[in-house]
Amino acid sequence: MRTRQAARIGAVLAMLAFPAAATTVETTLSVYTALEAEELEKYAQRFNADHPNIRIQWTRESTGIVTEKLLAEKSAPRADVIWGLAVTSLLLMKDEDLLEPYAPAGLDKLDPRFRDRADPPHWVGMDAWVAALCVNTVETKFRKLAPITSWQDLASPAYQGLVVMPDPGSSGTGFMVVSGWLQKLGEEQGWKFMDALHGNVSHYTGSGSKPCMQAARGEVPVGISFAFRAARLKAMGVPMEIVIPKEGIGWDMEAAAIVKGTGKLEAARTLLDWSISEKAMKLYNEGHAVIGISALARPVEHFPDGIPRAMIENDFAWAAKNRARIVEEWRRRYGAKSEPKPKPEPKPEPRPKS
């Protein structure tokens, strides 16, 4: 009897000795993203420095694949949060009623362009990523190619088979570029330009980074990609020029949102709060010249000057509404040169409850 009583007293004393134990329970958030793969650990570490009890379980694919995955999982969502996906994709998610409205702390500090207009918003913006040309200066010199200043230069017969660009159906960068051309030139002239460019494109990749990587390796002289990847490669010593075509550049916004129906709403809101905090904005500014709180932006090494001025007036609503039609038409015209798409995954199960 005394033994049992002593055991009970010991258990009570142990609970009193460690009153904080209940607050150390770890929550795991399923986070879908199209952020660059090498960035994920850094993003998680910076967030966990402030919120060590929320673990991020990443699912990372290119923008088009993440978008298709979220739509396919509509009836049985597996993600809790989207952190780093094109806003044109999030507009599709909003139209499908897949996002949980939430006004994160610090919303009033965001540039108005970097938030959903609804109140409360369904998504918030992080940073802008912009189209750019990755030009291998060794290869262009060896081939005696004239300097590139314009998109139209890429349609010159001198560049036949020497250009690589992303497939807009699988790559957010690819769609951003194509949407930019159609908006800037108008649809008739935009498709006419792409018809001319197509003859010079060696192949279309499933990744927005890959054309820049292939240009860096000298597989082609020119990759149509985005400035973040080009600047990273240039910082590594790659002989690369980052060209911002004079007609202007398409761009998209990386954004964050909560997936509707998550069973971890409190943790998801904590992550969304942090995603637009000053700490987060400074993190984004390490790789992006344009961020959601413009007053915090500082120049980024190797990024060309004048990027904000070169960014077109982007109609995101038009791009999202017409995305399926644009991709279908693009693939009808040019899809024969695209890399094979990844095999589909098994039918999704609901997000884990733990």
Side-chain angles (χ1 to χ4, degrees):
M1 180 72 177
R2 288 182 178 178
T3 302
R4 289 198 298 272
Q5 186 176 9
R8 287 197 295 271
I9 292 172
V12 170
L13 290 174
M15 291 173 64
L16 293 173
F18 301 99
T23 66
T24 60
V25 176
E26 184 179 85
T27 299
T28 298
L29 286 177
S30 173
V31 179
Y32 282 20
T33 188
L35 293 168
E36 292 301 292
E38 72 266 29
E39 296 289 285
L40 301 187
E41 184 177 354
K42 179 172 71 173
Y43 275 55
Q45 285 178 348
R46 301 282 180 90
F47 171 70
N48 285 145
D50 292 331
H51 302 284
N53 296 335
I54 300 176
R55 187 172 75 89
I56 293 177
Q57 184 176 26
W58 296 107
T59 295
R60 193 271 167 194
E61 294 287 355
S62 61
T63 300
I65 295 173
V66 174
T67 303
E68 290 177 2
K69 187 174 177 66
L70 285 162
L71 291 171
E73 295 173 0
K74 179 178 178 178
S75 61
R78 302 188 70 183
D80 298 300
V81 177
I82 301 163
W83 188 17
L85 187 65
V87 73
T88 44
S89 292
L90 289 180
L91 287 169
L92 290 175
M93 303 300 113
K94 179 183 175 181
D95 287 345
E96 292 290 331
D97 196 27
L98 296 178
L99 304 181
E100 178 74 25
Y102 176 60
L107 181 64
D108 59 314
K109 296 180 181 179
L110 284 181
D111 181 319
R113 295 180 301 171
F114 280 75
R115 58 156 292 174
D116 180 26
R117 293 179 182 178
D119 187 18
H122 291 71
W123 56 265
V124 286
M126 301 157 49
D127 54 65
W129 94 94
V130 302
L133 298 178
C134 304
V135 181
N136 186 310
T137 55
V138 172
E139 285 296 311
T140 53
K141 183 177 180 180
F142 173 75
R143 297 173 184 271
K144 299 180 180 179
L145 296 169
I148 300 172
T149 62
S150 162
W151 290 116
Q152 295 293 340
D153 291 340
L154 297 181
S156 165
Y159 282 92
Q160 186 171 5
L162 302 182
V163 180
V164 174
M165 75 167 280
D167 180 326
S170 56
S171 162
T173 300
F175 182 74
M176 168 182 77
V177 170
V178 170
S179 172
W181 289 334
L182 295 176
Q183 291 188 57
K184 186 69 177 180
L185 302 175
E187 291 210 39
E188 182 178 353
Q189 291 302 312
W191 289 115
K192 186 176 179 180
F193 165 70
M194 284 184 270
D195 286 344
L197 176 65
H198 180 62
N200 289 350
V201 173
S202 168
H203 60 281
Y204 299 98
T205 67
S207 157
S209 291
K210 193 170 182 179
C212 207
M213 301 291 288
Q214 290 183 319
R217 292 192 293 264
E219 296 173 21
V220 290
V222 183
I224 299 174
S225 186
F226 58 105
F228 170 91
R229 175 55 57 211
R232 287 296 174 92
L233 290 169
K234 192 167 183 176
M236 295 168 61
V238 173
M240 179 170 290
E241 182 183 5
I242 305 170
V243 175
I244 303 298
K246 63 185 181 183
E247 300 97 333
I249 49 176
W251 61 286
D252 209 326
M253 186 190 306
E254 288 181 324
I258 298 172
V259 178
K260 194 169 188 177
T262 174
K264 304 169 185 177
L265 188 57
E266 184 178 352
R269 286 176 170 175
T270 298
L271 177 53
L272 218 68
D273 289 342
W274 196 90
S275 77
I276 63 166
S277 66
E278 290 194 6
K279 286 185 179 180
M281 290 296 156
K282 291 176 181 178
L283 168 63
Y284 307 148
N285 195 202
E286 292 175 14
H288 299 274
V290 180
I291 57 176
I293 303 178
S294 56
L296 297 176
R298 299 292 180 268
V300 181
E301 186 180 17
H302 300 302
F303 269 58
D305 294 332
I307 282 180
R309 294 191 301 274
M311 293 163 62
I312 68 166
E313 289 291 331
N314 203 338
D315 187 339
F316 290 119
W318 178 88
K321 181 179 179 181
N322 290 279
R323 183 181 185 277
R325 176 182 65 84
I326 291 168
V327 169
E328 181 180 2
E329 178 63 15
W330 186 93
R331 284 187 167 158
R332 183 186 70 80
R333 292 173 180 247
Y334 319 121
K337 286 188 180 181
S338 286
E339 294 177 331
K341 291 182 66 175
K343 293 181 179 179
E345 296 184 355
K347 186 177 180 180
E349 298 178 358
R351 64 167 73 87
K353 298 294 183 182
S354 60

